Amino acid sequence: MMMISSCGRGTSFSCFSCLALLLVLHCHQTNRIHGQKSVSALTVVENTEGRGGDEEEEKEKEVNLKVVQPTEQWQSLKPGQAVPAGSHVRLNLQTGQREVRLGEEQLKYWTQEHQRDTKETGSFFSPDELKQAMKKIKEDLNPVSKDPDQQVSMYRPLEELKRDMAQLDLLLETDVQIMRRLLEQFNSSNSTAEQRMNILLELEYLVHQVDNAQTLCSMGGLQVILEGLNSSDLRLQENSAFVLGSALSSNPVVQVKAVESGALQTLLTVLAIAQPLRVKKKVLFAVASLLRHFPYAQHNFLSHGGLQVLSELFRADGDGVLRLRIVTMLYDIISEKELISQAGLDLVLDAAHDERVRQYSKVSLDGELLEKGWCSLVPQLLESTEHDYREKALRALLAMAPMCLDQYRSDSSLMDSLLSLRDQYQHMVQSEMILGEENSYFTELVELIDKLQVKMKTK
């Protein structure tokens, strides 16, 4: 016997029988209107007999449409009967009748309880009953009360939560309590070097919050970090510099306290002595965080021989990792001062502008850069094969141009490097244009070189 079978798409017949019946009515009405077979929640076997009769009688039949409850065995479908979603329907070519049984998902989840509930409630529901059932489902899915008093009672006071956690041997700590505990553990004579390193890493995570960094300083944490910088353990030095740099970043309060505590002198001392690369990288990070947008610290940096320390570090760095960080730091300092002077041309200024101008005027960077030979040191970064290194060098050279133009013009190697780099990047730009790419990174590098060449040719 040949069979043509299909399985209706959708989920298995839900335990919410009223919801399924609502879908039955909706699909059957759609079929009546459009004269099509349903491909959604229900499969309806249309009556091929005459469609005559009173219109009101047809509507009544639609409301009281009976849904066949499939079983594990095949059973025949009468004209006009509907089946639940997921049922397996086939056409028996031998008898010409449609047959139905439970689908795979229905067989898996159908239980005696579902069948018993269906028998008890029956298969006929009025429209009002279906509406009430849908309303009940929505209420079950959203049990939150609209009563403001009941909503407030859902949230428990912090003290009550602490008492409950204490009974469960759980401890709820604020960031302040955590930092105080970490400092006590760090200062404990029983703490090992490994434990102190882990403590510093936890502190570094916490001080990214501006308030936490300021609170740590008020607890005496800044002195603990500076002692770590003076430690003979290189790992403690590295982690201490990491914590200090993170605490100083965009935090003027901590920057002021660090300068007053002598952090700048300590950092320069660590850079001046022989140290592994990983330590110097973290110390340079802390120095850059201390100097950024802080002219008072920049003035102290220059007066304590900071540029001399950096120039020696630049010359000793063969790989260029430290060179990149140093040149980036110098570019930031020069750009800050230039932006402040340009802001003075505005008609509307904030109340603190004059004070910032006064402080930046004390940062005599031009003479120091010339004296320490930076006009010839920075061009060495162009020899790197890294495009990022070259970009930072070009930007720094442009920023230093007002004070270094005479040296640039007398430096033949710089002229040759610029011509060679321009040809190289111009070729890359043309290759990218062939591929349909415009305004690329290499185009920006060509523009930087052109600007520098124009400045060098201008008398």
Side-chain angles (χ1 to χ4, degrees), residues 1 3-6 70-77 87-92 98-103:
M1 178 172 60
M3 302 290 178
I4 299 176
S5 63
S6 65
T71 64
E72 298 181 6
Q73 304 299 326
W74 291 104
Q75 55 180 312
S76 299
L77 281 173
S87 301
H88 197 168
V89 180
R90 74 181 184 182
L91 175 64
N92 190 328
R98 293 190 180 187
E99 300 177 343
V100 64
R101 74 171 184 181
L102 291 174

Side-chain angles (χ1 to χ4, degrees), residues 216-313:
L216 182 66
C217 290
S218 63
M219 290 180 178
L222 187 58
Q223 292 301 324
V224 173
I225 295 173
L226 294 180
E227 290 175 5
L229 283 172
N230 289 320
S231 172
S232 58
D233 191 324
L234 297 178
R235 295 175 302 173
L236 285 179
Q237 282 187 339
E238 178 185 1
N239 289 338
S240 296
F242 193 25
V243 176
L244 181 59
S246 298
L248 291 167
S249 297
S250 303
N251 201 327
V253 174
V254 180
Q255 286 177 312
V256 172
K257 292 183 178 180
V259 172
E260 294 175 348
S261 301
L264 182 59
Q265 295 89 320
T266 302
L267 292 170
L268 291 177
T269 301
V270 176
L271 287 178
I273 61 179
Q275 296 287 357
L277 178 63
R278 68 176 191 273
V279 176
K280 291 185 180 294
K281 286 169 62 176
K282 290 296 189 295
V283 174
L284 274 176
F285 164 62
V287 172
S289 299
L290 179 58
L291 300 183
R292 188 170 293 114
H293 301 297
F294 192 13
Y296 179 72
Q298 295 173 15
H299 172 71
N300 281 273
F301 172 77
L302 296 176
S303 62
H304 285 85
L307 278 183
Q308 179 63 34
V309 173
L310 293 184
S311 64
E312 294 175 358
L313 196 61

Side-chain angles (χ1 to χ4, degrees), residues 40 65 70-71 84 102 121 163 170 185 259 282 292 306 319-320 358 378 423 434:
S40 56
L65 177 66
T71 64
L102 291 174
T121 58
R163 288 196 300 269
L170 297 175
Q185 293 175 358
V259 172
K282 290 296 189 295
R292 188 170 293 114
D319 296 332
R358 186 186 66 81
V378 175
D423 291 340
I434 294 175

Side-chain angles (χ1 to χ4, degrees), residues 3-243:
M3 302 290 178
I4 299 176
S5 63
S6 65
C7 186
R9 297 177 63 184
T11 57
S12 61
F13 189 63
S14 171
C15 62
F16 299 107
S17 58
C18 56
L19 176 59
L21 289 174
L22 181 60
L23 296 174
V24 169
L25 292 177
H26 175 72
C27 295
H28 185 68
Q29 290 173 354
T30 304
N31 292 335
R32 290 286 186 180
I33 294 173
H34 297 285
Q36 301 179 14
K37 295 181 181 180
S38 172
V39 294
S40 56
L42 296 175
T43 302
V44 180
V45 181
E46 296 186 4
N47 190 354
T48 57
E49 298 178 0
R51 295 181 180 270
D54 187 68
E55 184 177 352
E56 295 295 328
E57 184 179 354
E58 288 293 325
K59 292 183 178 179
E60 183 179 355
K61 288 181 180 179
E62 290 175 3
V63 171
N64 296 322
L65 177 66
K66 185 174 181 179
V67 180
V68 175
Q69 301 296 338
T71 64
E72 298 181 6
Q73 304 299 326
W74 291 104
Q75 55 180 312
S76 299
L77 281 173
K78 296 179 181 181
Q81 288 183 323
V83 297
S87 301
H88 197 168
V89 180
R90 74 181 184 182
L91 175 64
N92 190 328
L93 297 180
Q94 185 173 359
T95 63
Q97 293 184 341
R98 293 190 180 187
E99 300 177 343
V100 64
R101 74 171 184 181
L102 291 174
E104 295 297 332
E105 294 297 322
Q106 290 175 319
L107 286 172
K108 181 177 179 181
Y109 295 105
W110 191 265
T111 63
Q112 293 297 327
E113 181 181 357
H114 297 158
Q115 297 177 14
R116 183 171 60 254
D117 292 341
T118 304
K119 291 178 181 178
E120 291 176 357
T121 58
S123 300
F124 298 93
F125 297 90
S126 67
D128 292 337
E129 290 174 331
L130 291 173
K131 290 179 181 179
Q132 292 297 326
M134 287 296 295
K135 182 178 180 181
K136 181 64 170 59
I137 293 173
K138 292 180 179 179
E139 292 176 353
D140 292 341
L141 294 175
N142 186 20
V144 179
S145 174
K146 295 183 179 180
D147 188 352
D149 297 334
Q150 295 185 13
Q151 287 184 352
V152 172
S153 64
M154 294 174 60
Y155 302 98
R156 301 170 62 190
L158 181 60
E159 295 301 325
E160 183 179 341
L161 290 173
K162 287 182 178 180
R163 288 196 300 269
D164 292 345
M165 289 184 174
Q167 294 176 358
L168 297 173
D169 292 331
L170 297 175
L171 180 61
L172 181 63
E173 291 181 300
T174 63
D175 286 352
V176 175
Q177 292 171 330
I178 293 174
M179 290 189 294
R180 183 176 290 110
R181 174 175 55 81
L182 291 175
L183 288 178
E184 291 175 355
Q185 293 175 358
F186 189 91
N187 292 324
S188 173
S189 58
N190 296 326
S191 297
T192 63
E194 193 70 28
Q195 291 173 334
R196 287 191 174 96
M197 284 189 297
N198 292 331
I199 290 172
L200 289 172
L201 291 177
E202 290 189 50
L203 289 174
E204 193 278 331
Y205 173 79
L206 291 170
V207 297
H208 282 280
Q209 295 282 345
V210 173
D211 293 341
N212 286 345
Q214 296 174 5
T215 303
L216 182 66
C217 290
S218 63
M219 290 180 178
L222 187 58
Q223 292 301 324
V224 173
I225 295 173
L226 294 180
E227 290 175 5
L229 283 172
N230 289 320
S231 172
S232 58
D233 191 324
L234 297 178
R235 295 175 302 173
L236 285 179
Q237 282 187 339
E238 178 185 1
N239 289 338
S240 296
F242 193 25
V243 176

